[in-house]
Amino acid sequence: MANVFVVEDSQPMIELLQELLANVGGFDVVGSCSTEAEAKLWLEENPGAWDIAVLDLVLAQGSGIGLSAHAKRTHPAGKPVVFSSYASPGIRAHCLKLGADAVFDKNESPAFLDWLAANR
């Protein structure tokens, strides 16, 4: 069972992710938040409590772009993955450079689900 931390500002998207993870199986959502500050605090207070962090880039406050690096600092074995509507080639390269294990546009859901299944 892989523990998943979700950073997403859209409640409907959080619910969709939870449903997708339940359908794939082998995942437990251990936390979620909608702002950069909340995400950083949760990561600092829960090092090692997550295996995969699903990160959106556009948040209610702040940005998810630097959260991959922050996540890796708090839990080097964890796998931050960006799942955002703004995953252009340049943003994708920048996120990977900052420590994301993978980057997916939200319209790449099948590839995202394949990655999750391979990393649980």
Side-chain angles (χ1 to χ4, degrees):
M1 179 77 64
N3 292 327
V4 179
F5 173 55
V6 177
V7 181
E8 169 64 59
D9 65 337
S10 166
Q11 187 59 40
M13 181 56 75
I14 291 171
E15 292 168 10
L16 177 62
L17 283 168
Q18 289 173 329
E19 185 177 320
L20 286 171
L21 293 168
N23 287 337
V24 171
F27 297 99
D28 183 28
V29 176
V30 295
S32 66
C33 57
S34 62
T35 71
E36 180 181 6
E38 290 172 330
K40 285 181 174 179
L41 181 61
W42 192 95
L43 289 164
E44 289 165 8
E45 290 181 345
N46 298 279
W50 58 277
D51 302 303
I52 297 171
V54 178
L55 310 171
D56 192 11
L57 295 177
V58 178
L59 302 173
Q61 293 177 341
S63 165
I65 203 145
L67 289 177
S68 293
H70 194 81
K72 283 287 191 181
R73 278 192 299 277
T74 62
H75 182 38
K79 296 181 178 184
V81 57
V82 173
F83 188 56
S84 176
S85 297
Y86 299 93
S88 68
I91 293 291
R92 185 180 310 262
H94 188 64
C95 290
L96 291 170
K97 182 179 175 185
L98 290 174
D101 280 48
V103 180
F104 298 95
D105 192 274
K106 286 183 178 171
N107 67 12
E108 298 175 306
S109 294
F112 173 65
L113 291 175
D114 288 345
W115 184 90
L116 286 170
N119 287 279
R120 65 176 154 218

